[in-house]
Amino acid sequence: YPSGNLAIIVTRERDQLICIVQDDEPRTAKIRALFQPDGRSTCYYPNGDEWINMSIQGGQYLDQAGNRVRRWMWPNLSPGPHVPLSPIFISLNRHVGVRILAQDKIFVSFLAMGRQAKFNMGTKVQASAASQLPPPTQLGEDELLLLAFRVRILQLFDRMRRCLNFPSSEHWNKIQPPTYLMTQAVKILELCMAADISDELRSSISAIVNA
């Protein structure tokens, strides 16, 4: 960002790329979007609530109250008639936007100081691969809370390590946490969306990992 805060992280996991969009914050930046090579992607509102969720089957668009506004299925991956996708464009903030045109045309655009960068994070997943995916894991409330507190503790240990390594630096608090911690936080939020838990608990877990 023009502020110097990290906006977009592209990291490699098992020879595939993952894209993480962060908010423009100087300290522990909130994750605003995650795009994964297996077709799963999620965008979040500024308060951490889910905005858009996509899988290899399709996707859904939620309003800020959590109500589903739109739902669609990708063609050639679902038997029978499917709900087509009308192009979607959202602004995560004043610099980062997401445009969804098709399963293999999901663009993340970054605009600042008159210059633009664009990333295509879409992917084509074959129907045969979709049928081989295991069902999502369902975790209980206690397990989800333990996972959230574990990530939070690791985040605090990382901040302590940075403070000890750079005691005289004024900028140690601006250093971004390790990518694996941000990825774990996003995965916990995804598990919360799939689990049968209350909205209050889901908000509490989101607050823990994004604190």
Side-chain angles (χ1 to χ4, degrees), residues 9-115:
I9 302 170
V10 179
T11 183
R12 185 177 297 276
E13 181 177 290
R14 298 178 183 176
D15 298 326
Q16 294 180 311
L17 297 180
I18 296 175
C19 177
I20 300 172
V21 180
Q22 296 190 144
D23 228 343
D24 189 4
E25 296 179 357
R27 297 186 179 180
T28 306
K30 293 181 180 179
I31 295 174
R32 296 300 310 279
L34 171 68
F35 301 89
Q36 303 182 73
D38 60 3
R40 293 181 298 150
S41 302
T42 309
C43 301
Y44 300 95
Y45 284 105
N47 63 357
D49 290 343
E50 187 177 286
W51 193 344
I52 292 177
N53 182 277
M54 293 176 284
S55 68
I56 58 172
Q57 286 83 23
Q60 61 179 358
Y61 183 115
L62 306 175
D63 63 19
Q64 289 189 281
N67 302 310
R68 187 166 65 191
V69 177
R70 296 170 63 180
R71 182 176 180 271
W72 68 90
M73 303 295 291
W74 304 122
N76 304 323
L77 287 181
S78 56
H82 66 275
V83 180
L85 166 69
S86 297
I88 293 175
F89 176 77
I90 62 171
S91 295
L92 297 178
N93 53 42
R94 60 185 297 186
H95 297 289
V96 184
V98 176
R99 187 181 298 272
I100 305 169
L101 304 178
Q103 186 185 27
D104 59 344
K105 296 180 180 179
I106 301 174
F107 298 98
V108 180
S109 59
F110 177 80
L111 178 64
M113 296 181 288
R115 305 188 67 179

Side-chain angles (χ1 to χ4, degrees), residues 162-172:
R162 283 180 280 155
C163 182
L164 292 173
N165 290 340
F166 308 99
S168 60
S169 174
E170 297 180 358
H171 304 289
W172 69 267

